[in-house]
Amino acid sequence: MAALLTATRDASRYVRDLAAMALARARSWTRSLVARLEERQQQGDPDENVARKLEQAYLQVLRREPHAADRLLAIVLRREGPVRWRQALREGPPVDPVVARALLTHLERVPWETWARPPHRASQKVENGQQSGSEDPSPLVLLRALVPGDLLAPWLIQQALHRTTAPLPMRLYVIVQANSIPPALQQAVQRLWIEAIQAVEVPELYALLDRLGFSGIRALIDSLWHAPDALKRAWRLLTQPEAARILPMPQRTDLPWLEARLAALPPGDQDSRLQVLVDLGRLYELGNDPGLRQAVFQTQIPRLLLRYLSNPVTCQWVAIALANLYGRWMPPRCP
């Protein structure tokens, strides 16, 4: 390794070029050798191609050597080095798992706001924190590029769940950066989402709705079942156009739950929870899938909905759902 570093100062640019290329593939770097490579690439080279390969070798070493995690963190978090380094880190391969764990351990020791803060909404180019190629990637964008997803997802979610003093929008934003929600953390994320949906209105609410699926809707309704006003507020938020287009459909396994919730309502009463079940349960679309429609008729759901046709208000809530289930073009005429 030391010989290769020396060769990068050779009078021949061809020797320097080959040495720089070899450094990018070399393994077993010590701290002192990493420091020497850092110093060498900082000095640059008369040949632009050699200078570029020295930079590439340095960034490649940072991806592989766990004892260089502090240097990698300085680039990612403290924005040391040129923007092109962070752009190269975003576009290149992820770091080795051992480096990823060292990087995350380092991050746990710094203030959360230095890496978890969402970008300003006005400057956010793409959903979920992605940025355009000409920009300086944010720390979270770089983490998503550098840390393998199976390591990053649970770590990000655990961070968001445990930072209880952080603002809810920031905690939601961090969870959205995870590429998946591990099953063991699903219920905890649902609880945080339900807490947030009663307090804030940010795009991450809808992104998490897409991730949680119908189990999130079930958890929301179960949690707020005995708080109809709070449930109605959540219903208003989730029937907004930006949420309605991603509102999840129930599956066959959800039908017994829907049946039980409908059966728990007083027949004929203008209970706002009926409207919530019809809309968030997407009962007005259950008849579109022949297999699901057949399964619905094996439950008491149609009969339970028919109980509300005699009331002018509740009839408006269930008429379209009944027409869809019974395959009619026109909904029943309400009193």
Side-chain angles (χ1 to χ4, degrees), residues 12-29:
S12 168
R13 69 180 180 89
Y14 298 107
V15 173
R16 298 197 307 274
D17 185 87
L18 289 172
M21 291 175 61
L23 286 171
R25 296 191 294 270
R27 293 279 186 168
S28 303
W29 290 77

Side-chain angles (χ1 to χ4, degrees), residues 86-304:
R86 285 177 288 281
Q87 292 171 340
L89 288 172
R90 178 186 59 191
E91 300 301 328
V95 299
D96 286 359
V98 65
V99 178
R101 285 188 283 269
L103 184 61
L104 297 180
T105 299
H106 277 259
L107 276 175
E108 290 175 355
R109 300 171 186 157
V110 302
W112 207 50
E113 295 77 6
T114 59
W115 61 267
R117 187 178 300 279
H120 293 297
R121 300 295 178 189
S123 63
Q124 196 170 358
K125 303 300 182 182
V126 183
E127 291 182 0
N128 295 346
Q130 296 288 354
Q131 294 169 305
S132 67
S134 62
E135 293 179 337
D136 195 351
S138 70
L140 262 178
V141 167
L142 288 171
L143 281 179
R144 291 175 58 176
L146 292 172
V147 180
D150 59 341
L151 289 177
L152 184 62
W155 185 85
L156 284 176
I157 294 172
Q158 292 281 13
Q159 290 292 307
L161 293 174
H162 293 158
R163 306 273 184 156
T164 56
T165 60
L168 274 172
M170 186 182 297
R171 297 170 72 191
L172 295 177
Y173 174 74
V174 169
I175 292 176
V176 168
Q177 304 317 300
N179 60 359
S180 62
I181 302 175
L185 298 175
Q186 184 91 359
Q187 290 187 356
V189 172
Q190 285 177 348
R191 288 193 293 269
L192 183 65
W193 180 71
I194 293 167
E195 177 187 349
I197 210 169
Q198 300 173 75
V200 297
E201 184 174 355
V202 291
E204 286 76 20
L205 285 176
Y206 309 125
L208 277 181
L209 170 63
D210 195 35
R211 300 273 185 90
L212 293 171
F214 197 76
S215 65
I217 296 295
R218 287 180 58 163
L220 172 70
I221 293 175
D222 286 343
S223 176
L224 302 180
W225 185 253
H226 297 294
D229 291 341
L231 185 59
K232 194 67 179 287
R233 286 194 298 271
W235 166 82
R236 291 192 189 99
L237 188 61
L238 294 178
T239 50
Q240 297 295 316
E242 56 266 42
R245 67 173 181 266
I246 59 170
L247 198 63
M249 278 289 292
Q251 306 300 312
R252 290 191 183 196
T253 53
D254 298 308
L255 296 181
W257 175 85
L258 282 168
E259 180 183 29
R261 281 301 180 200
L262 286 169
L265 293 174
D269 283 7
Q270 295 181 18
D271 193 317
S272 62
R273 292 176 295 183
L274 172 64
Q275 189 176 22
V276 171
L277 283 172
V278 170
D279 289 346
L280 299 189
R282 297 184 69 169
L283 301 188
Y284 49 83
E285 292 188 60
L286 294 182
N288 294 343
D289 180 335
L292 190 58
R293 180 178 178 229
Q294 183 179 10
V296 170
F297 276 97
Q298 294 172 0
T299 72
Q300 296 297 311
I301 290 175
R303 183 187 66 80
L304 292 170

Side-chain angles (χ1 to χ4, degrees), residues 1-2 5 28-40 58 61 65 67-68 71:
M1 212 84 69
L5 284 166
S28 303
W29 290 77
T30 65
R31 286 185 180 275
S32 61
L33 287 171
V34 174
R36 286 180 60 184
L37 176 59
E38 181 179 33
E39 180 184 7
R40 177 65 188 91
Y58 178 60
V61 168
E65 299 301 324
H67 55 69
R71 286 179 165 86

